[in-house]
Amino acid sequence: MGKGLAARARGMGVYARKGVFWGVSLVSKGWLGSVSGMDVIGSETLLEHLFSTSRQPIITVSNHLSTVDDPLMWAGMLSMQQITALLDRDRMRHVGAAKELVFSNPLYAWFFGHGQSIPLVRGAGIFQPGMAACLAVLNARGWLHFFPEGRVIPPAQRAGCEIARLKWGVARLIMESAQSPVVIPVMLQGFDRLKPYDAALPRPFEPVRVAVGAPLAGADVLAETARHGQHDHRRSAIMRIIQGHMEATLRLYLRPEKLARELPTLRLLTRPEADIRALAARLQGPVAEAVAPRYTVEVVPLQGQIGSGSLPVERLPSAGLSIAPWIAKGLAAAVLAMLFAPS
């Protein structure tokens, strides 16, 4: 009977966990879809790792601009089907949270606990019980999210720095995880305007942006910092690497004017149709000369398909060259002339 009650309690816990995630996600999606808006760049990087069959441990790291960062960023990036699939696979994110704020009363503790928040005591260091729980998530090949700045820091308090000095907790997790995790920066912009730190409610019509950067292999970070030994110097070196990665992502992906210049793929995808057509026209002569007299070459309009990422069937206007056998073209013209010739 005791085992049955335990199993029933576990089942209720699963339903409570799904209920919290579904409820928060639906409210967040409703806000983003009707009152605000979110641009997401690079989400396929995270999705690829989340749904990979290798199930490598994942640590995502973000700058911390607002108390609504966590629910909104995932609601804007993941569909309800993806959230449900991650919950079913025990792969949905866990997040470190300030115990004195998030677990301050039994109701908060129940709600945020079922939202997979892990209580961390500010100032208690990187060897507190909450950090052991974070390490257990990674050892189970789960997904852990961290705000390594340690607290919400509005831009006005950053003293001109894009990223504040990072705490060492993530470094400890990388060093002690049973399987080397992958670290993925997920950088935020505009969340401080949507929900200022001292505001009770979010503000309407404040769009936000999320950029997912390139993954950083924990094994590579460990190899690069091996000369520092196993203690504080190495942890500091690891966090400097991660901070540099976060800052690079923030500067590149959240500065639209730099994207086309620094990302070759995006530069090609955003070329105007007129430029592509002009390039095709310049190529028409040399190609026609190379294949004459058996083939004819014409500039024709095309529709290019992106074929991957978040818009796999999206089409872009383009242009290209049509190379056709000359005899086939001549025969077609002759047949048409015969069919429509006056009797």
Side-chain angles (χ1 to χ4, degrees):
M1 183 174 178
K3 291 183 179 179
L5 289 174
R8 186 178 302 173
R10 285 194 298 272
M12 293 298 293
V14 170
Y15 286 121
R17 183 165 57 103
K18 287 187 175 181
V20 168
F21 272 99
W22 287 339
V24 171
S25 298
L26 287 172
V27 170
S28 299
K29 285 179 178 293
W31 180 274
L32 291 173
S34 60
V35 182
S36 185
M38 179 184 288
D39 290 330
V40 181
I41 303 171
S43 60
E44 61 273 10
T45 300
L46 178 59
L47 294 175
E48 178 182 348
H49 283 83
L50 285 176
F51 291 98
S52 170
T53 55
S54 65
R55 199 178 167 96
Q56 185 178 12
I58 297 172
I59 301 175
T60 47
V61 290
S62 298
N63 52 332
H64 207 356
L65 301 177
S66 171
T67 54
V68 298
D69 290 347
D70 184 80
L72 290 185
M73 62 196 292
W74 308 127
M77 196 179 308
L78 301 171
S79 69
M80 292 303 298
Q81 292 84 355
Q82 289 167 336
I83 291 171
T84 301
L86 291 170
L87 287 167
D88 289 340
R89 300 179 186 190
D90 199 18
R91 187 70 161 160
M92 190 59 193
R93 77 97 188 88
H94 294 71
V95 61
K99 183 176 181 179
E100 66 273 20
L101 298 177
V102 174
F103 291 82
S104 57
N105 61 58
L107 178 60
Y108 281 13
W110 182 93
F111 180 81
F112 289 103
H114 283 93
Q116 299 192 160
S117 296
I118 298 174
L120 298 174
V121 179
R122 289 174 176 171
I126 64 174
F127 294 101
Q128 60 178 287
M131 290 299 297
C134 293
L135 189 59
V137 171
L138 297 180
N139 289 339
R141 301 190 174 191
W143 168 22
L144 179 68
H145 184 71
F146 246 74
F147 294 101
E149 293 175 316
R151 63 184 180 89
V152 173
I153 306 179
Q157 300 178 17
R158 292 179 177 269
C161 299
E162 292 180 315
I163 305 294
R165 179 181 176 275
L166 304 185
K167 310 301 182 183
W168 289 357
V170 173
R172 182 206 166 184
L173 297 174
I174 294 174
M175 291 170 65
E176 298 186 18
S177 178
Q179 181 182 353
S180 179
V182 61
V183 181
I184 303 176
V186 182
M187 306 308 295
L188 313 178
Q189 187 180 64
F191 286 76
D192 54 297
R193 295 189 297 272
L194 188 151
K195 169 64 169 65
Y197 185 70
D198 56 354
L201 296 172
R203 294 174 175 174
F205 314 118
E206 290 286 354
V208 294
R209 304 188 77 201
V210 177
V212 182
L216 185 63
D220 293 344
V221 174
L222 291 177
E224 187 173 342
T225 59
R227 67 183 185 277
H228 295 286
Q230 292 295 321
H231 300 295
D232 289 352
H233 290 299
R234 191 177 194 185
R235 296 186 188 104
S236 179
I238 290 172
M239 295 315 297
R240 285 197 299 271
I241 293 173
I242 292 174
Q243 180 158 351
H245 208 56
M246 293 171 68
E247 290 174 345
T249 301
L250 190 65
R251 287 194 298 268
L252 178 59
Y253 288 91
L254 296 183
R255 303 292 186 271
E257 66 277 5
K258 293 185 178 181
L259 280 175
R261 183 173 70 250
E262 299 191 27
L263 293 181
T265 300
L266 188 61
R267 184 166 63 248
L268 294 174
L269 286 173
T270 55
R271 281 189 303 175
E273 181 185 3
D275 291 356
I276 302 174
R277 190 165 55 248
L279 176 60
R282 290 198 300 270
L283 293 173
Q284 182 183 14
V287 173
E289 183 179 348
V291 300
R294 298 178 61 187
Y295 297 90
T296 60
V297 180
E298 293 180 289
V299 177
V300 295
L302 299 173
Q303 290 287 316
Q305 186 168 318
I306 295 175
S308 65
S310 58
L311 299 170
V313 297
E314 189 77 5
R315 293 183 179 274
L316 300 175
S318 185
L321 298 178
S322 171
I323 303 175
W326 180 87
I327 185 65
K329 183 177 180 181
L331 284 175
V335 170
L336 289 174
M338 292 175 58
L339 289 174
F340 294 98
S343 55

